[in-house]
Amino acid sequence: MSRSDLGMYGLVIGAWLSLGVVALIAVLRGWRPRVRGSGRLWRRGRRAVQDLPAGWRDNYRLLLATAAVATVLVWALSGWPIHGLLTGVAIAGMPFVLYPGGSEHAEVARVEALAEWLHQLSSVRSGGKPLEQMLRELGTVPALLRRESDALAERLASGMPAPRAYRLLGDDLDSRIGDDIVRLFRDHVRSRGQGLSEALSAQAALLDKQASDLHDIEAERRKARSEARRVSIFALLMVAGILASPSYSAPFATPLGQLGLIALGVSFVLALLWLRRMARMEPEPRTSPTAKERADEEQAAGRLEGAA
């Protein structure tokens, strides 16, 4: 490797190391990236993190910053970028290896949180408060729903029409249960009937029953999760051992070897996603149009109007 190449690598590694240190400091100071839009991929990624146990979920930003720093350090020590990239991916993906189907109780806990939220709304509604005021002012929302509840409260406080705010809540919850709750809210906006408290209580009771059923289903899927965890950990240890051994990793220390390493890394990630899909419960299909489906319908309607 020539001196000019060394200088170029030094500049690149130094820049990435600086960015990693800045990111780590920002995370430790409580920074959180704000991603505009509600793309399906972003929602899936956010839901996957939310499904992790509390310790991993609450500290995942710090784990990402650690993965970025490790990527740069391994790249600098090995001289090969893919070694560093795979190290960072392995660190960032470790929670999903240990919990291939998410936390065993994540889905149950979410249903229980929704039930608790509806019970709270029912109790407050019995005092005569309007629904929109309750949703803006309720301060005892379960932690698992804090993000969605805060977003809904901000939309209502900004003057957004309630039906639209509820529709966006359904996109945030992204589940059949969320669609049922949104339908209840939107029906109340149209009718303004007096039976909202009873309807909220009845919906909460249904969710309590569903959470109980999910406990039984989760117990049957623990074996699949355990098998997926063992396979993933064995594969990671084997790859780490190969890359740590100079004799075994020598074929990967070439440009062609780096391409092969990328292919192996992508194959492992795809296999992990497949194991994760098999180890977790498939969500029930939504009963209301998603944000993408509504956008497609609006575009189709606009094309028809333009053609007319």
Side-chain angles (χ1 to χ4, degrees):
M1 186 178 290
S2 66
R3 183 172 298 179
S4 61
D5 290 335
L6 288 174
M8 181 187 67
Y9 276 117
L11 287 174
V12 173
I13 291 172
W16 277 102
L17 184 59
S18 300
L19 288 175
V21 172
V22 170
L24 180 60
I25 294 174
V27 167
L28 293 177
R29 290 174 62 87
W31 172 77
R32 173 176 296 178
R34 295 182 64 87
V35 178
R36 296 184 180 275
S38 55
R40 188 175 183 180
L41 184 61
W42 165 250
R43 292 201 304 273
R44 283 186 174 182
R46 188 177 66 184
R47 177 63 62 83
V49 174
Q50 289 177 342
D51 285 348
L52 293 172
W56 289 103
R57 180 179 66 245
D58 296 341
N59 296 287
Y60 194 71
R61 287 179 295 155
L62 179 60
L63 185 67
L64 286 179
T66 303
V69 173
T71 297
V72 177
L73 289 178
V74 174
W75 181 3
L77 294 174
S78 68
W80 293 101
I82 304 305
H83 287 60
L85 179 61
L86 290 182
T87 300
V89 171
I91 293 175
M94 184 57 63
F96 306 105
V97 171
L98 297 176
Y99 300 93
S103 172
E104 295 184 356
H105 304 291
E107 186 64 27
V108 180
R110 189 167 180 81
V111 174
E112 291 174 339
L114 286 167
E116 180 184 350
W117 185 47
L118 293 182
H119 279 304
Q120 292 173 353
L121 291 174
S122 175
S123 177
V124 175
R125 173 62 181 179
S126 62
K129 279 190 175 182
L131 176 60
E132 287 74 22
Q133 182 181 352
M134 292 191 301
L135 294 171
R136 289 195 307 267
E137 299 177 356
L138 188 65
T140 56
V141 178
L144 287 178
L145 297 177
R146 178 66 64 181
R147 183 191 300 271
E148 293 85 350
S149 174
D150 288 349
L152 175 60
E154 290 177 5
R155 291 165 185 151
L156 292 173
S158 69
M160 179 182 291
R164 175 170 171 76
Y166 297 151
R167 187 182 296 116
L168 294 178
L169 171 65
D171 293 336
D172 292 340
L173 295 175
D174 194 22
S175 65
R176 185 194 61 79
I177 296 175
D179 289 341
D180 293 341
I181 294 173
V182 167
R183 187 176 299 108
L184 176 60
F185 289 173
R186 288 170 62 88
D187 287 344
H188 176 70
V189 170
R190 286 192 293 266
S191 65
R192 295 296 178 183
Q194 299 299 316
L196 178 60
S197 178
E198 292 76 9
L200 291 170
S201 181
Q203 185 68 36
L206 289 175
L207 294 184
D208 287 332
K209 176 63 168 60
Q210 183 169 348
S212 177
D213 294 339
L214 286 175
H215 274 293
D216 298 333
I217 296 174
E218 284 287 347
E220 298 176 358
R221 301 187 71 89
R222 285 174 188 161
K223 183 177 180 180
R225 287 195 175 101
S226 179
E227 291 293 335
R229 184 183 301 115
R230 280 198 291 267
V231 170
S232 301
I233 292 176
F234 174 77
L236 279 178
L237 291 176
M238 184 176 66
V239 172
I242 291 175
L243 295 181
S245 173
S247 58
Y248 285 111
S249 63
F252 299 108
T254 64
L256 184 60
Q258 292 285 282
L259 293 177
L261 201 56
I262 291 177
L264 290 175
V266 171
S267 299
F268 176 75
V269 171
L270 292 176
L272 180 60
L273 292 174
W274 178 72
L275 287 173
R276 177 180 173 83
R277 184 173 182 178
M278 293 191 63
R280 66 175 299 158
M281 292 184 297
E282 287 295 327
E284 295 181 279
R286 292 187 57 179
T287 56
S288 296
T290 64
K292 184 179 183 303
E293 291 170 346
R294 293 197 304 271
D296 291 343
E297 290 176 359
E298 291 175 359
Q299 290 179 359
R303 286 195 295 268
L304 290 176
E305 291 178 359

mmCIF file of all heavy atoms in Angstrom, residues 32 50 54 57-58 106 109-110 112-114 116-117 120 138-150 173:
data_model
loop_
_atom_site.group_PDB
_atom_site.id
_atom_site.type_symbol
_atom_site.label_atom_id
_atom_site.label_comp_id
_atom_site.label_asym_id
_atom_site.label_seq_id
_atom_site.Cartn_x
_atom_site.Cartn_y
_atom_site.Cartn_z
ATOM 1 N N ARG A 32 -31.785 12.539 20.383
ATOM 2 C CA ARG A 32 -32.534 11.504 19.672
ATOM 3 C C ARG A 32 -32.856 12.011 18.277
ATOM 4 O O ARG A 32 -33.406 13.101 18.128
ATOM 5 C CB ARG A 32 -33.843 11.169 20.408
ATOM 6 C CG ARG A 32 -34.742 10.210 19.629
ATOM 7 C CD ARG A 32 -35.965 9.834 20.420
ATOM 8 N NE ARG A 32 -35.626 9.092 21.609
ATOM 9 C CZ ARG A 32 -36.506 8.669 22.504
ATOM 10 N NH1 ARG A 32 -37.781 8.936 22.333
ATOM 11 N NH2 ARG A 32 -36.112 8.009 23.574
ATOM 12 N N GLN A 50 -38.819 -1.472 19.867
ATOM 13 C CA GLN A 50 -39.781 -1.426 20.968
ATOM 14 C C GLN A 50 -40.116 -2.810 21.496
ATOM 15 O O GLN A 50 -40.480 -2.962 22.663
ATOM 16 C CB GLN A 50 -41.063 -0.726 20.502
ATOM 17 C CG GLN A 50 -40.901 0.769 20.283
ATOM 18 C CD GLN A 50 -42.171 1.424 19.764
ATOM 19 O OE1 GLN A 50 -43.060 0.749 19.265
ATOM 20 N NE2 GLN A 50 -42.240 2.736 19.858
ATOM 21 N N ALA A 54 -36.821 -4.136 28.117
ATOM 22 C CA ALA A 54 -36.665 -2.723 28.483
ATOM 23 C C ALA A 54 -35.207 -2.278 28.517
ATOM 24 O O ALA A 54 -34.875 -1.180 28.071
ATOM 25 C CB ALA A 54 -37.329 -2.476 29.841
ATOM 26 N N ARG A 57 -34.041 -1.873 24.959
ATOM 27 C CA ARG A 57 -34.828 -0.844 24.274
ATOM 28 C C ARG A 57 -34.423 0.558 24.726
ATOM 29 O O ARG A 57 -34.230 1.461 23.901
ATOM 30 C CB ARG A 57 -36.311 -1.074 24.535
ATOM 31 C CG ARG A 57 -37.221 -0.054 23.853
ATOM 32 C CD ARG A 57 -38.671 -0.365 24.140
ATOM 33 N NE ARG A 57 -39.021 -0.215 25.540
ATOM 34 C CZ ARG A 57 -39.410 -1.217 26.331
ATOM 35 N NH1 ARG A 57 -39.504 -2.436 25.868
ATOM 36 N NH2 ARG A 57 -39.720 -1.003 27.595
ATOM 37 N N ASP A 58 -34.272 0.736 26.022
ATOM 38 C CA ASP A 58 -33.985 2.075 26.537
ATOM 39 C C ASP A 58 -32.562 2.532 26.228
ATOM 40 O O ASP A 58 -32.282 3.739 26.250
ATOM 41 C CB ASP A 58 -34.210 2.092 28.054
ATOM 42 C CG ASP A 58 -35.671 1.828 28.425
ATOM 43 O OD1 ASP A 58 -36.534 1.995 27.544
ATOM 44 O OD2 ASP A 58 -35.927 1.434 29.580
ATOM 45 N N ALA A 106 -43.348 -8.816 24.852
ATOM 46 C CA ALA A 106 -43.529 -7.483 24.276
ATOM 47 C C ALA A 106 -44.932 -7.300 23.723
ATOM 48 O O ALA A 106 -45.599 -6.294 24.009
ATOM 49 C CB ALA A 106 -42.484 -7.234 23.187
ATOM 50 N N ALA A 109 -47.434 -7.317 26.498
ATOM 51 C CA ALA A 109 -47.354 -6.077 27.263
ATOM 52 C C ALA A 109 -48.004 -4.924 26.503
ATOM 53 O O ALA A 109 -48.631 -4.048 27.119
ATOM 54 C CB ALA A 109 -45.902 -5.744 27.574
ATOM 55 N N ARG A 110 -47.871 -4.926 25.183
ATOM 56 C CA ARG A 110 -48.470 -3.848 24.395
ATOM 57 C C ARG A 110 -49.994 -3.931 24.449
ATOM 58 O O ARG A 110 -50.672 -2.904 24.577
ATOM 59 C CB ARG A 110 -47.971 -3.916 22.952
ATOM 60 C CG ARG A 110 -48.363 -2.721 22.108
ATOM 61 C CD ARG A 110 -47.591 -2.697 20.816
ATOM 62 N NE ARG A 110 -47.953 -1.551 20.001
ATOM 63 C CZ ARG A 110 -47.470 -0.321 20.162
ATOM 64 N NH1 ARG A 110 -46.598 -0.072 21.115
ATOM 65 N NH2 ARG A 110 -47.844 0.669 19.372
ATOM 66 N N GLU A 112 -51.735 -5.303 26.828
ATOM 67 C CA GLU A 112 -52.113 -4.927 28.190
ATOM 68 C C GLU A 112 -52.038 -3.416 28.385
ATOM 69 O O GLU A 112 -52.868 -2.831 29.094
ATOM 70 C CB GLU A 112 -51.205 -5.642 29.193
ATOM 71 C CG GLU A 112 -51.437 -7.135 29.270
ATOM 72 C CD GLU A 112 -50.445 -7.847 30.157
ATOM 73 O OE1 GLU A 112 -49.351 -7.286 30.405
ATOM 74 O OE2 GLU A 112 -50.743 -8.972 30.608
ATOM 75 N N ALA A 113 -51.044 -2.767 27.747
ATOM 76 C CA ALA A 113 -50.939 -1.309 27.855
ATOM 77 C C ALA A 113 -52.126 -0.625 27.188
ATOM 78 O O ALA A 113 -52.674 0.354 27.713
ATOM 79 C CB ALA A 113 -49.627 -0.841 27.229
ATOM 80 N N LEU A 114 -52.540 -1.134 26.037
ATOM 81 C CA LEU A 114 -53.713 -0.569 25.366
ATOM 82 C C LEU A 114 -54.966 -0.742 26.215
ATOM 83 O O LEU A 114 -55.799 0.164 26.307
ATOM 84 C CB LEU A 114 -53.903 -1.234 24.008
ATOM 85 C CG LEU A 114 -52.918 -0.818 22.906
ATOM 86 C CD1 LEU A 114 -53.000 -1.772 21.718
ATOM 87 C CD2 LEU A 114 -53.185 0.608 22.456
ATOM 88 N N GLU A 116 -55.073 -1.006 29.494
ATOM 89 C CA GLU A 116 -54.974 -0.083 30.629
ATOM 90 C C GLU A 116 -55.317 1.345 30.205
ATOM 91 O O GLU A 116 -56.003 2.080 30.936
ATOM 92 C CB GLU A 116 -53.558 -0.135 31.201
ATOM 93 C CG GLU A 116 -53.340 0.785 32.390
ATOM 94 C CD GLU A 116 -51.903 0.783 32.884
ATOM 95 O OE1 GLU A 116 -51.125 -0.072 32.418
ATOM 96 O OE2 GLU A 116 -51.561 1.643 33.718
ATOM 97 N N TRP A 117 -54.837 1.751 29.029
ATOM 98 C CA TRP A 117 -55.121 3.093 28.514
ATOM 99 C C TRP A 117 -56.622 3.290 28.338
ATOM 100 O O TRP A 117 -57.180 4.331 28.728
ATOM 101 C CB TRP A 117 -54.375 3.267 27.203
ATOM 102 C CG TRP A 117 -54.462 4.632 26.591
ATOM 103 C CD1 TRP A 117 -54.278 5.832 27.214
ATOM 104 C CD2 TRP A 117 -54.744 4.930 25.221
ATOM 105 N NE1 TRP A 117 -54.424 6.863 26.314
ATOM 106 C CE2 TRP A 117 -54.702 6.337 25.088
ATOM 107 C CE3 TRP A 117 -54.994 4.164 24.096
ATOM 108 C CZ2 TRP A 117 -54.931 6.970 23.875
ATOM 109 C CZ3 TRP A 117 -55.207 4.788 22.884
ATOM 110 C CH2 TRP A 117 -55.181 6.182 22.777
ATOM 111 N N GLN A 120 -58.352 3.709 31.631
ATOM 112 C CA GLN A 120 -58.149 5.058 32.156
ATOM 113 C C GLN A 120 -59.076 6.054 31.466
ATOM 114 O O GLN A 120 -59.691 6.906 32.128
ATOM 115 C CB GLN A 120 -56.690 5.472 31.967
ATOM 116 C CG GLN A 120 -55.693 4.695 32.807
ATOM 117 C CD GLN A 120 -54.255 5.034 32.464
ATOM 118 O OE1 GLN A 120 -53.995 5.759 31.501
ATOM 119 N NE2 GLN A 120 -53.322 4.496 33.222
ATOM 120 N N LEU A 138 -54.535 13.531 29.505
ATOM 121 C CA LEU A 138 -54.288 12.338 30.318
ATOM 122 C C LEU A 138 -52.792 12.195 30.590
ATOM 123 O O LEU A 138 -51.982 12.085 29.662
ATOM 124 C CB LEU A 138 -54.813 11.094 29.600
ATOM 125 C CG LEU A 138 -54.796 9.793 30.417
ATOM 126 C CD1 LEU A 138 -55.738 9.895 31.599
ATOM 127 C CD2 LEU A 138 -55.185 8.610 29.539
ATOM 128 N N GLY A 139 -52.425 12.194 31.857
ATOM 129 C CA GLY A 139 -51.006 12.163 32.221
ATOM 130 C C GLY A 139 -50.510 10.829 32.727
ATOM 131 O O GLY A 139 -49.352 10.720 33.138
ATOM 132 N N THR A 140 -51.341 9.808 32.713
ATOM 133 C CA THR A 140 -50.944 8.501 33.264
ATOM 134 C C THR A 140 -50.930 7.434 32.171
ATOM 135 O O THR A 140 -51.285 6.287 32.415
ATOM 136 C CB THR A 140 -51.907 8.080 34.392
ATOM 137 O OG1 THR A 140 -53.255 8.067 33.886
ATOM 138 C CG2 THR A 140 -51.817 9.032 35.559
ATOM 139 N N VAL A 141 -50.527 7.822 30.971
ATOM 140 C CA VAL A 141 -50.498 6.883 29.851
ATOM 141 C C VAL A 141 -49.412 5.837 30.105
ATOM 142 O O VAL A 141 -48.304 6.176 30.547
ATOM 143 C CB VAL A 141 -50.220 7.629 28.537
ATOM 144 C CG1 VAL A 141 -50.140 6.661 27.369
ATOM 145 C CG2 VAL A 141 -51.300 8.668 28.298
ATOM 146 N N PRO A 142 -49.665 4.551 29.843
ATOM 147 C CA PRO A 142 -48.626 3.526 29.992
ATOM 148 C C PRO A 142 -47.388 3.859 29.161
ATOM 149 O O PRO A 142 -47.481 4.435 28.076
ATOM 150 C CB PRO A 142 -49.321 2.247 29.492
ATOM 151 C CG PRO A 142 -50.780 2.500 29.705
ATOM 152 C CD PRO A 142 -50.977 3.958 29.484
ATOM 153 N N ALA A 143 -46.227 3.486 29.666
ATOM 154 C CA ALA A 143 -44.964 3.861 29.028
ATOM 155 C C ALA A 143 -44.875 3.351 27.590
ATOM 156 O O ALA A 143 -44.329 4.037 26.722
ATOM 157 C CB ALA A 143 -43.791 3.333 29.851
ATOM 158 N N LEU A 144 -45.414 2.175 27.313
ATOM 159 C CA LEU A 144 -45.314 1.600 25.975
ATOM 160 C C LEU A 144 -46.111 2.386 24.936
ATOM 161 O O LEU A 144 -45.876 2.241 23.737
ATOM 162 C CB LEU A 144 -45.792 0.146 25.980
ATOM 163 C CG LEU A 144 -44.866 -0.865 26.642
ATOM 164 C CD1 LEU A 144 -45.484 -2.248 26.624
ATOM 165 C CD2 LEU A 144 -43.507 -0.892 25.941
ATOM 166 N N LEU A 145 -47.045 3.216 25.400
ATOM 167 C CA LEU A 145 -47.863 4.004 24.480
ATOM 168 C C LEU A 145 -47.552 5.492 24.570
ATOM 169 O O LEU A 145 -48.262 6.306 23.970
ATOM 170 C CB LEU A 145 -49.353 3.793 24.786
ATOM 171 C CG LEU A 145 -49.885 2.375 24.616
ATOM 172 C CD1 LEU A 145 -51.351 2.316 25.020
ATOM 173 C CD2 LEU A 145 -49.716 1.909 23.185
ATOM 174 N N ARG A 146 -46.502 5.852 25.292
ATOM 175 C CA ARG A 146 -46.214 7.265 25.502
ATOM 176 C C ARG A 146 -45.937 7.983 24.182
ATOM 177 O O ARG A 146 -46.432 9.097 23.960
ATOM 178 C CB ARG A 146 -45.006 7.396 26.430
ATOM 179 C CG ARG A 146 -44.568 8.818 26.705
ATOM 180 C CD ARG A 146 -45.589 9.586 27.489
ATOM 181 N NE ARG A 146 -45.787 9.015 28.818
ATOM 182 C CZ ARG A 146 -46.654 9.487 29.711
ATOM 183 N NH1 ARG A 146 -47.421 10.513 29.389
ATOM 184 N NH2 ARG A 146 -46.774 8.911 30.888
ATOM 185 N N ARG A 147 -45.181 7.363 23.292
ATOM 186 C CA ARG A 147 -44.842 8.016 22.032
ATOM 187 C C ARG A 147 -46.108 8.285 21.212
ATOM 188 O O ARG A 147 -46.323 9.395 20.715
ATOM 189 C CB ARG A 147 -43.874 7.145 21.228
ATOM 190 C CG ARG A 147 -43.406 7.775 19.930
ATOM 191 C CD ARG A 147 -42.684 6.734 19.075
ATOM 192 N NE ARG A 147 -41.537 6.188 19.746
ATOM 193 C CZ ARG A 147 -40.314 6.704 19.688
ATOM 194 N NH1 ARG A 147 -40.123 7.800 18.975
ATOM 195 N NH2 ARG A 147 -39.313 6.146 20.324
ATOM 196 N N GLU A 148 -46.945 7.267 21.032
ATOM 197 C CA GLU A 148 -48.156 7.423 20.228
ATOM 198 C C GLU A 148 -49.130 8.396 20.873
ATOM 199 O O GLU A 148 -49.763 9.206 20.197
ATOM 200 C CB GLU A 148 -48.838 6.066 20.029
ATOM 201 C CG GLU A 148 -48.051 5.086 19.172
ATOM 202 C CD GLU A 148 -47.026 4.301 19.962
ATOM 203 O OE1 GLU A 148 -46.794 4.651 21.143
ATOM 204 O OE2 GLU A 148 -46.451 3.333 19.410
ATOM 205 N N SER A 149 -49.250 8.316 22.199
ATOM 206 C CA SER A 149 -50.170 9.207 22.910
ATOM 207 C C SER A 149 -49.717 10.661 22.823
ATOM 208 O O SER A 149 -50.529 11.570 22.602
ATOM 209 C CB SER A 149 -50.284 8.771 24.378
ATOM 210 O OG SER A 149 -51.057 9.678 25.118
ATOM 211 N N ASP A 150 -48.412 10.894 22.988
ATOM 212 C CA ASP A 150 -47.897 12.267 22.900
ATOM 213 C C ASP A 150 -48.097 12.833 21.500
ATOM 214 O O ASP A 150 -48.433 14.012 21.330
ATOM 215 C CB ASP A 150 -46.417 12.295 23.272
ATOM 216 C CG ASP A 150 -46.184 12.070 24.764
ATOM 217 O OD1 ASP A 150 -47.170 12.111 25.520
ATOM 218 O OD2 ASP A 150 -45.020 11.839 25.159
ATOM 219 N N LEU A 173 -50.047 3.127 15.642
ATOM 220 C CA LEU A 173 -50.239 1.847 16.321
ATOM 221 C C LEU A 173 -50.002 0.678 15.367
ATOM 222 O O LEU A 173 -49.505 -0.374 15.780
ATOM 223 C CB LEU A 173 -51.648 1.772 16.915
ATOM 224 C CG LEU A 173 -51.944 2.774 18.038
ATOM 225 C CD1 LEU A 173 -53.411 2.691 18.460
ATOM 226 C CD2 LEU A 173 -51.043 2.526 19.246
#
